[in-house]
Amino acid sequence: MSTIDTRTTVEQGLVFERDVALAMADGTLLRANVFRPEAPGRYPVVMAMGAYGKDVHFEDAFHPQWQVLKRIYPGLDSEGSTGRYLRWEVVDPERWVPDGFVVIQVDARGTGRSEGYLDPFSPVETRDFYEWIEWAGTQPWSNGKVGLIGVSYLAIKQWQVAALRPPHLAAIVPWEGSSEFYRDGGHHGGILSNSFTFEWWPRQVLSNQYGSGESTHRDRLTGERTTGPAFSPAMLEGSRADHPNDRLTHALDDAWNRARAANLAAIEVPLLSAANWGGAGMHLRGNFEGFLRAGSARKWLFAHIGTHYESFYLPRYVAIQKRFFNHFLRGEDNGWEREAPVQLAIRQVDGTATLRQENEWPLARTQWTPLYLDAAQAGLDSAVPAAPAQRGFGALQESLSFTTAPFEQETEFTGPVTLRLWISSSTRDADIFAVLRVLDPEGNEVNFIGAHERVPMAQGWLRASHRKTDPSRAIGWRPWHTHDEVQALEAGAVYALEVEIWPTSMVFPKGWRLSLTVQGHDFIVTPPGRMRHDHPVDRPPEAFGGVTTIHTGGAHASHLVMPLIPRR
């Protein structure tokens, strides 16, 4: 029997219902906070479900990020909002309720004040979200239209649940959120992305597990522990999955991973997919793939720059979010349908960007341009090298770089990139980390503010034993790796690889150069790096610590396929 009661307060026209409980189909009680206008009426609902605690203040759980955001946006908790209800990666109720929205924040099963077995991104959790959407769509204060909005975890859940087609779901705004569970987050090119998962799990999820008596999180408004009652360590351990180990042991795109991947083709509701060019290793690919592959007839793609969280809260972006929802949740004729379906922040080398409207992705006018690697000269050029060459590097310590001549005119690359690479290895496998870098006229590298850390222009990954592709799912400029079997290498034999490099945008001034770095370990701008791939079980030295040789020219004409955008 639940001992957590719903409490209601009313202040300055905002009704706050804390710990609203809803029994799921299996009887498990999940709880949410509901914020709605005091004035009677039927309002559209914007909703999110996540694992970070609906009662944990943004500043308490993510203090460094809070400080960065406050520097960028000093009025975050003083201009139009007290900030008392600010939570990580969800909308601020004080900025939405006055404009006639109901805001609902749900603690996912087994987290915060919600009971049950904690299993992130699982089908059960997704079904819970479906039930909450249908509940919200039938309440007396609801107009029957529910929109979903949130960042990261809260965006991933949107892709997943939208594919189930809840009848009252009317639109989604997945802001920086993976859509392909295996490829976008867990395994990049088949390589385990372990550092985020193994650090995220205890710091951001277990600290919010329902029943955690050791959690330091307290509700600022009540002083109560945000995780409900205190259970024994044995009870807590038995009430959750071992998510990091699940990621580790499901090394192929198997049924476990597929059960957590969104069925994008089944999504029908209008969507606004917001991608971050600096989201290397987390979410970036998912927002582009989600836009491309979603079955929705009405869909928009926005690509921005900056940190993972700043754009979501900045007033100009909040205005975009509200305008989208006002159209699809209220039927407001505000011109949204006439917005260009693709809007891209075209990046400059100084870290700024210019917003440009486009009609499709990738851009129809793209000139897919090969740049050939030359192992003899360390060059990158539009001409195939005159003679075959090869060069090796120690996979776990060294790298090889290939660089263009200075560009003779301003040159823009915007789109996805493919590296077609011939390699051999002294061991039974090899991991390829492919990095596009920007060099100024003096040869100095320029890097950029990323979602979580400073990043190069673009990155891609591929485990050589995962080189198998499905041509029926490839789209010229983007290969599709099946990740359904391990094809070990024969030492010394030459193999062709197609390395998917995630979407990018960059305008090179005259005299600047593009460089491709290939190595067998993480490329980190600012140590220790947040998105690492260095788990010893996934990457045993005897398999991945050999010498990798790149072959160029002749029958092994390794090359990049770059998305050159002609000058207007």
Side-chain angles (χ1 to χ4, degrees):
M1 179 68 73
S2 169
T3 58
I4 300 176
D5 297 322
T6 301
R7 288 165 288 179
T8 302
T9 59
V10 181
E11 186 176 343
Q12 295 183 334
L14 185 150
V15 178
F16 174 24
E17 296 179 274
R18 184 197 312 269
D19 289 322
V20 175
L22 181 64
M24 299 294 97
D26 64 355
T28 302
L29 286 179
L30 271 58
R31 294 180 175 85
N33 288 342
V34 177
F35 304 85
R36 54 185 176 84
E38 182 182 9
R42 293 184 176 271
Y43 302 97
V45 177
V46 292
M47 174 184 275
M49 172 183 278
Y52 302 143
K54 64 179 177 57
D55 301 312
V56 182
H57 196 276
F58 186 143
E59 184 180 15
D60 296 340
F62 296 89
H63 187 68
Q65 292 88 342
W66 174 267
Q67 291 179 311
V68 171
L69 184 55
K70 280 283 290 179
R71 286 197 298 270
I72 296 169
Y73 181 20
L76 176 67
D77 58 350
S78 60
E79 299 173 2
S81 172
T82 67
R84 73 181 73 181
Y85 303 123
L86 276 165
R87 307 291 183 258
W88 175 246
E89 298 181 338
V90 297
V91 301
D92 180 357
E94 288 185 289
R95 296 188 185 278
W96 284 74
V97 172
D99 285 342
F101 290 93
V102 176
V103 175
I104 301 178
Q105 300 168 355
V106 185
D107 277 337
R109 180 178 290 246
T111 71
R113 313 275 273 189
S114 288
E115 302 171 4
Y117 187 78
L118 171 56
D119 188 4
F121 311 113
S122 67
V124 172
E125 183 187 74
T126 304
R127 187 68 195 184
D128 291 340
F129 204 0
Y130 180 110
E131 294 188 42
W132 271 104
I133 291 168
E134 289 308 288
W135 175 84
T138 57
Q139 297 307 297
W141 34 254
S142 170
N143 73 350
K145 293 184 181 294
V146 178
L148 306 181
I149 186 170
V151 187
S152 190
Y153 192 118
L154 301 100
I156 295 170
K157 295 310 302 181
Q158 294 179 53
W159 296 116
Q160 291 177 318
V161 75
L164 300 184
R165 301 178 181 173
H168 287 92
L169 181 61
I172 63 172
V173 181
W175 205 276
E176 296 191 35
S178 301
S179 59
E180 181 69 34
F181 188 76
Y182 180 88
R183 291 166 176 80
D184 298 343
H187 292 77
H188 300 137
I191 308 167
L192 177 69
S193 178
N194 57 280
S195 66
F196 176 79
T197 298
F198 280 71
E199 294 166 9
W200 165 81
W201 178 246
R203 185 178 67 247
Q204 293 179 227
V205 182
L206 294 190
S207 62
N208 286 302
Q209 185 180 2
Y210 176 74
S212 173
E214 297 181 358
S215 175
T216 60
H217 294 315
R218 296 293 183 273
D219 187 329
R220 285 188 176 186
L221 302 179
T222 67
E224 297 173 355
R225 188 169 49 243
T226 61
T227 50
F231 296 155
S232 69
M235 182 70 170
L236 289 172
E237 186 173 358
S239 299
R240 65 182 182 240
D242 186 349
H243 188 72
N245 189 61
D246 286 339
R247 291 274 202 180
L248 176 63
T249 55
H250 292 278
L252 296 175
D253 193 15
D254 56 14
W256 184 85
N257 280 295
R258 296 311 308 161
R260 290 157 176 78
N263 180 10
L264 295 171
I267 297 175
E268 294 181 330
V269 295
L271 68 88
L272 170 61
S273 180
N276 186 334
W277 291 123
M282 183 63 68
H283 304 314
L284 169 63
R285 180 186 185 276
N287 279 109
F288 280 90
E289 288 288 319
F291 169 77
L292 277 171
R293 293 162 48 204
S296 305
R298 294 175 293 179
K299 52 187 178 180
W300 286 262
L301 172 67
F302 277 62
H304 58 266
I305 61 173
T307 66
H308 179 51
Y309 41 87
E310 68 183 70
S311 64
F312 185 71
Y313 294 99
L314 292 175
R316 65 180 181 273
Y317 289 100
V318 174
I320 291 171
Q321 297 158 11
K322 289 180 179 178
R323 184 169 167 231
F324 176 80
F325 279 140
N326 277 331
H327 181 67
F328 288 110
L329 304 187
R330 265 193 250 270
E332 196 173 282
D333 184 10
N334 56 18
W336 182 270
E337 290 277 11
R338 295 184 291 278
E339 284 287 341
V342 175
Q343 302 197 19
L344 308 175
I346 305 301
R347 295 193 294 175
Q348 311 292 322
V349 296
D350 63 358
T352 63
T354 302
L355 187 66
R356 193 171 71 203
Q357 297 187 344
E358 300 286 353
N359 293 317
E360 69 287 306
W361 177 266
L363 308 188
R365 65 184 184 280
T366 303
Q367 297 175 357
W368 300 104
T369 303
L371 294 177
Y372 292 91
L373 285 63
D374 185 348
Q377 303 297 326
L380 198 58
D381 193 79
S382 58
V384 179
Q390 61 185 57
R391 184 173 295 183
F393 60 90
L396 299 184
Q397 300 87 23
E398 301 172 338
S399 64
L400 292 179
S401 291
F402 306 84
T403 305
T404 66
F407 290 113
E408 295 180 357
Q409 62 181 9
E410 183 178 86
T411 301
E412 178 188 337
F413 297 112
T414 295
V417 181
T418 299
L419 171 60
R420 292 181 174 141
L421 192 67
W422 274 261
I423 72 157
S424 57
S425 174
S426 64
T427 57
R428 68 178 185 271
D429 212 338
D431 283 344
I432 298 298
F433 294 73
V435 187
L436 299 185
R437 304 164 69 188
V438 178
L439 304 183
D440 70 13
E442 286 71 45
N444 302 308
E445 181 181 4
V446 175
N447 51 58
F448 306 91
I449 293 173
H452 303 285
E453 57 191 331
R454 296 199 70 85
V455 294
M457 173 181 168
Q459 296 187 70
W461 305 261
L462 183 63
R463 175 156 291 174
S465 61
H466 285 231
R467 62 191 178 277
K468 178 182 173 184
T469 60
D470 180 354
S472 70
R473 301 194 68 177
I475 307 177
W477 39 265
R478 194 266 288 133
W480 184 269
H481 296 90
T482 61
H483 300 295
D484 60 0
E485 65 175 309
V486 174
Q487 298 178 335
L489 308 184
E490 178 183 338
V494 180
Y495 298 89
L497 310 179
E498 292 186 87
V499 184
E500 177 186 355
I501 297 178
W502 286 15
T504 188
S505 175
M506 189 62 58
V507 177
F508 287 79
K510 179 181 177 180
W512 288 57
R513 295 183 292 165
L514 168 69
S515 185
L516 166 70
T517 294
V518 181
Q519 55 192 45
H521 57 281
D522 283 304
F523 183 90
I524 297 172
V525 175
T526 307
R530 194 164 186 259
M531 302 295 173
R532 300 192 311 277
H533 309 71
D534 55 7
H535 196 287
V537 173
D538 182 65
R539 286 167 49 83
E542 62 271 18
F544 297 95
V547 173
T548 302
T549 300
I550 295 177
H551 300 257
T552 66
H556 303 134
S558 296
H559 62 280
L560 283 168
V561 181
M562 295 296 297
L564 177 66
I565 306 302
R567 300 176 70 188
R568 284 176 167 170

